[in-house]
Amino acid sequence: MQTVSVNLGPRSYSIQIIAHETLGWLTFLKSALGHTRKLFFVSDTHTTTLMQKLRDLSLGAYECNHAIIPAGESSKSMAQFSFLLDELAEFGADRQTGVVAVGGGVIGDLAGFAAAAYNRGLPFIQVPTTLLAMVDSSVGGKVGINHPKGKNLIGAFHQPKAVWIDIGSLVTLPEREYLSGLAEVVKYGVIQDPQFFEFLEQNTAKILKRDAAILRQIVARCCRLKADVVEKDEREETGLRMILNYGHTFAHAFETVSGYGHWLHGEAVAAGMVYASRLAEKKDLIPASITERQIKLLSEFRLPVKAESGWKIPDLIEVMKRDKKAQAGRLRFILPVKLGEVRALDDVTEQQVAEVLAP
Ligand SMILES: NC(=O)c1ccc[n+]([C@@H]2O[C@H](COP(=O)([O-])OP(=O)(O)OC[C@H]3O[C@@H](n4cnc5c(N)ncnc54)[C@H](O)[C@@H]3O)[C@@H](O)[C@H]2O)c1
Ligand SMILES: [Zn+2]
């Protein structure tokens, strides 16, 4: 078992990373939840089996109930949020009741938001089952749902009491979802850790085979790197947390212009990082070789490294100007200054963006 500690004073918690074991589950729950007697599990229709396994293991020690949500981003909705609150009330949940989210980022964000809101906050346990959720969404305490006017527009900060990551659950994850999660993994190397980037370069074959030992190391390193950022900027106030948005200004534009779901988020981030890196070259921050290494690694992970030809550059730029990272319509980008270090720049011109996007 590997443990990553997230140090946030009274909201500190630990992330347990295991592979194909369930032995420590009850001990894990007890140490995370103390006197809790009731557990409310939430899964989606693709993670029900994983959820039921953990629920069955818990039955001897806890009164358990569960809700199953339709799989997909559209479940991060007011309707599903409201459904979970109804189910919690029906279950007679009180402030001691633990909410356990078993699923990808959608279930973590939705169940976490219900846990944050019900009774002014219930103890929350994350059991991420996608690579993206393991390395990104389950760490950091952001929970929420979408509004027709914007993604993640309604939400809260609600740190989990603990996170349980079983690498074994990745076995059933569809290939495209898995590869998409690898884009965020590559991101951590570029923004924070050049040795980790090299480690990825040297282990692509094992990574593509989902080798459990390698994945355990990778997930642990990514959780540590994200925790380092979150510990210094828990509520996104100092600006440090922004470095996690490397590649995301372009990604957001690709996702919006092509319609959400055309590309998976990680696919958009992969191409987005390449364009951000090209911008850094244009501003003489880095040599072209740093972009080339990212292109090579992302391509080995079968991720897109350029925008689709039909997307119009003015449309993409228009979205970027509306991005929440833009300040008063001024474009803001997180750009590498070397491998393992990025900086926020807001003196990038539309002309420069158009130039890197030009085919
Ligand atoms: N809170 C945060 O800090 C944060 C950070 C990044 C992303 N997010 C959010 O995360 C969401 C995306 O997360 P995601 O990529 O995990 O998507 P997801 O939860 O939709 O999961 C992707 C697909 O994989 C399926 N799935 C999950 N685990 C599986 C398994 N082990 N085996 C087989 N199928 C499985 C799901 O049912 C779904 O169909 C977005 O809503 C995004 O906004 C949140
Ligand atoms: Zn992302």
Side-chain angles (χ1 to χ4, degrees):
M1 180 179 298
Q2 226 161 336
T3 304
V4 173
S5 303
V6 186
N7 300 305
L8 295 167
R11 291 174 305 288
S12 295
Y13 58 95
S14 68
I15 303 171
Q16 305 285 2
I17 304 160
I18 51 131
H20 303 282
E21 309 152 33
T22 38
L23 221 55
W25 174 248
L26 282 180
T27 319
F28 163 84
L29 283 181
K30 180 96 183 81
S31 88
L33 296 172
H35 297 300
T36 293
R37 300 296 318 146
K38 286 172 129 182
L39 292 181
F40 187 82
F41 289 82
V42 184
S43 76
D44 75 19
T45 40
H46 298 151
T47 60
T48 308
T49 311
L50 293 166
M51 179 273 284
Q52 280 167 339
K53 200 165 92 187
L54 294 176
R55 186 204 55 193
D56 291 352
L57 282 169
S58 318
L59 277 172
Y62 298 90
E63 184 189 345
C64 297
N65 206 334
H66 68 267
I68 299 168
I69 304 290
E73 182 70 28
S74 58
S75 283
K76 267 174 62 172
S77 65
M78 199 51 103
Q80 295 299 338
F81 172 66
S82 174
F83 166 72
L84 285 183
L85 298 182
D86 291 348
E87 292 294 297
L88 282 164
E90 190 67 30
F91 184 41
D94 59 23
R95 221 171 262 169
Q96 299 330 312
T97 303
V99 174
V100 186
V102 185
V106 165
I107 291 303
D109 282 11
L110 171 70
F113 188 44
Y118 190 89
N119 226 338
R120 298 195 182 83
L122 303 183
F124 176 46
I125 301 279
Q126 290 262 30
V127 183
T129 63
T130 64
L131 183 57
L132 179 130
M134 291 176 184
V135 301
D136 190 356
S137 63
S138 69
V139 188
K142 279 191 190 176
V143 294
I145 57 174
N146 301 324
H147 183 275
K149 288 245 183 266
K151 224 177 156 266
N152 298 320
L153 207 54
I154 308 163
F157 286 97
H158 189 58
Q159 299 292 348
K161 292 286 178 207
V163 182
W164 174 268
I165 300 182
D166 182 356
I167 296 296
S169 59
L170 292 175
V171 168
T172 53
L173 189 67
E175 184 71 355
R176 200 173 158 200
E177 296 287 350
Y178 176 71
L179 297 174
S180 171
L182 285 176
E184 302 279 1
V185 170
V186 171
K187 180 189 79 178
Y188 289 111
V190 182
I191 66 175
Q192 283 165 288
D193 189 343
Q195 280 91 29
F196 180 60
F197 190 90
E198 268 169 43
F199 176 84
L200 298 173
E201 290 177 316
Q202 286 155 7
N203 288 285
T204 51
K206 283 186 178 166
I207 294 169
L208 286 167
K209 273 193 259 156
R210 309 192 194 186
D211 178 282
I214 287 278
L215 273 175
R216 197 144 73 158
Q217 283 185 61
I218 288 176
V219 169
R221 188 67 195 140
C222 293
C223 288
R224 181 67 260 154
L225 290 167
K226 179 151 184 190
D228 283 347
V229 176
V230 171
E231 283 170 5
K232 292 191 198 109
D233 185 16
E234 185 183 355
R235 298 179 70 98
E236 222 162 38
E237 284 158 347
T238 69
L240 180 67
R241 209 167 157 153
M242 256 177 31
I243 68 168
L244 298 167
N245 290 328
Y246 174 55
H248 281 61
T249 305
F250 284 101
H252 181 217
F254 300 152
E255 289 177 296
T256 307
V257 165
S258 64
Y260 273 92
H262 175 71
W263 268 6
L264 295 179
H265 176 67
E267 293 168 343
V269 170
M273 292 192 288
V274 173
Y275 287 107
S277 196
R278 291 266 183 246
L279 260 185
E281 279 177 45
K282 196 166 265 303
K283 299 194 80 63
D284 285 326
L285 298 170
I286 53 161
S289 58
I290 292 186
T291 314
E292 299 307 329
R293 280 175 74 183
Q294 292 171 74
I295 292 176
K296 181 162 183 288
L297 185 56
L298 294 166
S299 304
E300 286 185 49
F301 292 153
R302 301 198 287 275
L303 287 160
V305 292
K306 53 171 167 291
E308 290 186 359
S309 52
W311 302 343
K312 296 198 175 67
I313 293 174
D315 294 349
L316 293 169
I317 292 178
E318 209 40 54
V319 178
M320 292 184 204
K321 282 161 70 179
R322 281 187 271 124
D323 194 282
K324 65 176 184 216
K325 293 179 281 299
Q327 306 247 316
R330 219 164 140 170
L331 296 165
R332 167 171 282 185
F333 290 91
I334 308 299
L335 302 184
V337 290
K338 61 180 184 194
L339 195 62
E341 191 179 329
V342 287
R343 200 174 295 156
L345 265 86
D346 44 20
D347 63 348
V348 177
T349 64
E350 288 184 39
Q351 175 66 25
Q352 288 169 322
V353 177
E355 279 167 22
V356 295
L357 280 168

